[in-house]
Each structure stands twice: as C-alpha cells, then as structure tokens.
Amino acid sequence: MEQGAAHGGIGGRVARAVLGLALLAGLTAYCAARLQVVTDITAFMADVADPKLAELSRGLASSELTRTLVLSIDDEKGDPDVALAGAQALADKLQGHTEVAWLRAGPGELHAEAIHNLYYPRRAYLLTDEEADRKDRLSDEGLRAAARELKRQLGLPTSSVIKTIAPADPLLAYPAQLKRLERAQGGGIGLRDGHFVAEDRYALVLLATRHSPFDAESQGPLQAAIDAAFAEVDAASGGRLALEQSGVARFALASERSMKADISRISTVSIVGLVLLFLIMFRSPRLIVLSFAPLAAGVVAALAACLAIFGSVHGLTLAFGATLIGVCIDYSVHLFNHHLLDPARGGPRASARRIWPGLLLGALTTVAGFAGLAWTSFPGLREIALFASIGVLVAAMATRYWLPDFLPMSPRPGALQRIASAWLSRLVAAMRRRRALLAALPAAAIGLCAV
C-alpha cells in the first residue's frame, strides 16, 4: 500500500507539473499571437475630467506639427549651392514615399492673393489690443494723423495698392500688420533660389508623416528610407554632405530603441548575475532553471492580462517588467533554502506550505504598493500597476503550488549554503542577546532615507 501511495504521489506531482507547463505554454502562445508593443507618449498624459479637453490634448500629440520632420543638409566646405543641390535631390527621392504626407524644400509659388484673403477681412482685429491706444487712434487728433499718413502713402510709388484698400481700410491696419509680420520673422530661415536655407548655409527640407510620430512601425521604415536616400545623395556629391534631423518622430523612435536596449541590458545582467550566484550557492543546474519558473509564469500572465485588457503593452511597461526579476526570484530562493536546509517531512509541498504565510504577506504588500497606482490619472501608470500586481501575485502562487512538484524529495544542500546558513544563525543569535544594538538598524535606515 505504501508503494501504491508513493506511485500516486509521484503521479500527482507529474500531473500538476504538466498542467502548469501547459498553462504557461498556452499563455505564451496567446501573447505571441497578440503581442503589440506601443511607445505612444500620450499614455502618460493625465486623463482630465473634461473629455473634450482630453481628446484635444491627444489630438495635439498627433497633429501635423508633431508629425513634421525638419531635414538639414550642410556642405562641409560651406558651399550653400552644393547643400541646396543635395537637399533637392534628397527631396526628389523621398517625395514618393508612402509615409510622406507632404514635402517641401521651398515655399513654392507665393500666393499674394491667399495672404490678402487671410488677413484683409480681419483687418479690424489687427489693430492694437490696448484700449487706450485704440481710443487715441480713433480720437479727433488720431484720425487727423491717420488722414495725413494716408495722404502721404498716396503720394508714394505704391499708391496703386493703397488706393485699392483705402476705401475699406482708411486707418491702414492691413499694411501695418504686414509690416509687423515682416519684422517678426527675426531672421534664421530665408530663401535662396526658391529653397529654404538657414544662416545662408544649411538647406532645409520639411516633410510631414501620415501616421503618428509615436507609431514606430511607420516611423522606422521612413527613417531607414531617409538614411538610404541621403547615403545615395552624399555619395553622388563626393561624400561632403552632412545630414541633421529634428522632429518628434526622431525622439520617439530613439526612445523606443532605448527601451528595448534597457530591457535587453537589464535582463541580461540580471540573469547572468543570478546564474553565477546560484552556481556558487546551490551548485545545481536544476535549481537554476527552476528558479526562473515562477518568474516566467508571472511575466507571461501579466503580459497576457495587459494584452487582454488594453489590447497592447507599452514599452515602458515591458522595461519595468524586467525589474520584476529582482522581486519574484526571491520567492524561489526562499523555498529552496527552506527545503534544502530544513526540509519538512511531507516533502517540497510541505515546505512550501510552511513558508506560505510569510511568502503571501510579502507578495501582498508588494501588490498593494503597485495597486495604489491604479487610481492615478495616467493610463500608462495604470498599465504598469496591473502588470506588476499580476506578475508578483502569479509568481508567488506558482512558487506555492507549482514549483514544489519539480523539487527533489531528498534535498542535498551545498557546502557554501550550509556555511552561510550557520554564519547567519550565529549572527541572529548574537542580535537576540544584544537587543539594544538592534535600534541601530532602523536608525541607520532613517539616516539613509534622510540623505
């Protein structure tokens, strides 16, 4: 009967282990099928009470202004004609790209009629905003001064233009506004042979994208096309051109690449460090693999929840999720140490049952800290809160109910593990004998927080 019970116990362990692996594989397949990573910065814009204002703020984030890219071409010898030729060649190559909504290397034909139609009907609004100044201009003396100025303008070579607008604009508000606009240009960007130039040296190309600047799937190929087109133009110019770019899309794309690099770097450094530490402490490749099982379950479950609820996952959420390694791996280590150094009579599951109250308390306090972000007005932080809360809770549950089925029934702790345990036991015993010295620990913590 004992042999039958043993076989039944082994069968139950295998069944639970296989069921856990099947659930993990199913969640992984779901995530792979629906994975969509976004880097939209609007996810970290607060949801305001007014829905119209919220919609306006998100519309501004994807407006034509944010979708505009500025390309600057410079000749290393400072020849503006070479830079202009390069800018025009670059514009010709990019003109037909599917992501380019419009492209301009110059203002094109200046439509004086369009300018007139825009400003002339609004000439009354172009007067000064100061009420006192308006009263002065409309006083008897102000009107006499305006009449003298109108008479002077009619005696100039440009009188034909003044005669056209004077009947409806005797105060000449419209010509005055055109002069203010001319003075407000302030230099910087000018024209040379019909092309935009800056500082009489840098040739400019302006273009707007069709999609949001935070849509990496659209902006990535466009940036690659810009780089490839400029490489051809630069080669045709003898390699003497330099390209500079500015625009929201550039920064968004760089941020996404930085996120991915952070995820790879943090994950790699953490995993390598943990593997080395486990090899030194436990000297068991089996435990190294098993230590990542609850972590994998937590991350995959959290990712699946985000994809199911939000339809996508933000890059910052994934970057933050990589830091869960430092939290969830502690659950496995906690179970390993108890099972190897002080195993329970009922085997690994009994050891997990014994440490579960403390393990659950630690997990719930961590979840409570992250769950507090769920009430924030930032959608991105709410997503991070959901990801972290589910990840930590599932990792703790996997440590309690799934991981023990993979552990050996007869554990063998390593020599270094026994030495470290004995040293820590002596340290705890010494602390119990000198309880007054324990006050130094919270005092040091408070001092560190103050710093």
Side-chain angles (χ1 to χ4, degrees):
M1 293 180 64
E2 292 181 358
Q3 185 176 2
H7 282 297
I10 294 176
R13 294 184 66 189
V14 172
R16 287 189 296 267
V18 172
L19 178 60
L21 289 174
L23 289 175
L24 183 60
L27 289 176
T28 303
Y30 174 83
C31 294
R34 298 196 56 180
L35 182 60
Q36 182 180 0
V37 181
V38 298
T39 57
D40 193 345
I41 197 174
T42 59
F44 291 89
M45 296 174 62
D47 285 336
V48 295
D50 188 350
K52 292 183 178 180
L53 185 58
E55 184 66 23
L56 177 61
S57 63
R58 281 165 173 74
L60 290 175
S62 299
S63 65
E64 187 175 73
L65 180 62
T66 60
R67 290 186 288 107
T68 300
L69 285 172
V70 180
L71 312 181
S72 172
I73 308 295
D74 182 33
D75 175 48
E76 64 178 13
K77 297 182 180 180
D79 188 343
D81 293 329
V82 176
L84 288 175
Q88 185 59 55
L90 180 62
D92 293 339
K93 290 182 177 295
L94 297 176
Q95 185 69 58
H97 195 279
T98 56
E99 180 57 23
V100 176
W102 56 258
L103 183 148
R104 300 187 185 100
E109 183 181 356
L110 294 176
H111 298 284
E113 183 179 356
I115 297 175
H116 180 273
N117 292 337
L118 175 64
Y119 287 103
Y120 185 70
R122 299 168 176 83
R123 58 191 179 278
Y125 301 112
L126 305 180
L127 297 173
T128 176
D129 293 333
E130 297 295 334
E131 183 176 356
D133 188 46
R134 287 199 301 270
K135 289 182 178 180
D136 290 340
R137 295 189 64 176
L138 297 177
S139 65
D140 292 341
E141 181 58 33
L143 293 175
R144 281 192 288 268
R148 289 193 295 269
E149 176 61 21
L150 177 58
K151 183 178 180 180
R152 188 185 70 84
Q153 291 285 347
L154 292 173
L156 297 177
T158 56
S159 61
S160 59
V161 177
I162 301 300
K163 289 178 182 179
T164 304
I165 66 174
D169 186 18
L171 297 180
L172 301 181
Y174 174 61
Q177 176 63 12
L178 294 181
K179 291 181 180 179
R180 285 197 296 269
L181 290 174
E182 184 179 357
R183 291 194 300 268
Q185 288 181 349
I189 297 180
L191 293 176
R192 183 186 179 95
D193 298 334
H195 290 77
F196 292 127
V197 293
E199 300 179 5
D200 294 328
R201 172 172 178 173
Y202 303 95
L204 304 180
V205 176
L206 310 180
L207 64 90
T209 62
R210 297 187 184 277
H211 296 88
S212 168
F214 306 105
D215 185 355
E217 293 184 359
S218 300
Q219 301 301 330
L222 176 59
Q223 288 297 323
I226 292 175
D227 294 338
F230 174 73
E232 296 180 8
V233 172
D234 187 34
S237 302
R240 52 189 288 183
L241 298 179
L243 171 66
E244 293 182 341
Q245 299 187 51
S246 180
V248 176
R250 288 281 294 177
F251 294 103
L253 199 60
S255 298
E256 185 199 31
R257 292 171 178 170
S258 178
M259 290 177 191
K260 292 181 178 179
D262 287 343
I263 294 172
S264 300
R265 180 171 58 253
I266 294 173
S267 302
T268 301
V269 172
S270 300
I271 292 174
V272 170
L274 287 172
V275 168
L276 292 177
L277 181 61
F278 271 61
L279 284 175
I280 295 173
M281 185 62 65
F282 297 112
R283 304 184 65 182
S284 172
R286 178 182 181 180
L287 294 182
I288 294 176
V289 175
L290 292 180
S291 64
F292 290 98
L295 171 64
V299 171
V300 172
L303 180 58
C306 286
L307 293 175
I309 295 175
F310 302 110
S312 62
V313 62
H314 201 279
L316 287 178
T317 302
L318 289 179
F320 184 80
T323 64
L324 290 177
I325 293 177
V327 177
C328 300
I329 205 72
D330 292 342
Y331 304 154
S332 304
V333 174
H334 196 48
L335 176 60
F336 292 166
N337 282 322
H338 277 268
H339 181 59
L340 295 177
L341 295 171
D342 187 20
R345 290 186 177 182
R349 296 189 68 82
S351 297
R353 188 183 309 112
R354 185 173 60 182
I355 68 170
W356 178 238
L359 194 67
L360 179 62
L361 178 62
L364 290 179
T365 55
T366 304
V367 170
F370 287 122
L373 296 176
W375 280 269
T376 183
S377 59
F378 299 92
L381 293 182
R382 293 200 295 266
E383 182 180 303
I384 291 177
L386 176 69
F387 188 97
S389 299
I390 292 181
V392 170
L393 191 58
V394 171
M397 298 291 289
T399 304
R400 167 64 179 88
Y401 296 104
W402 185 43
L403 185 59
D405 294 318
F406 294 94
L407 296 180
M409 295 296 294
S410 301
R412 296 180 181 179
L416 183 59
Q417 188 181 13
R418 291 195 299 268
I419 293 172
S421 175
W423 182 83
L424 289 173
S425 298
R426 290 193 295 269
L427 178 61
V428 171
M431 293 169 65
R432 287 177 174 173
R433 292 192 299 268
R434 298 175 177 84
R435 292 181 179 273
L437 296 179
L438 295 180
L441 293 179
I446 293 174
L448 181 61
C449 291
V451 173

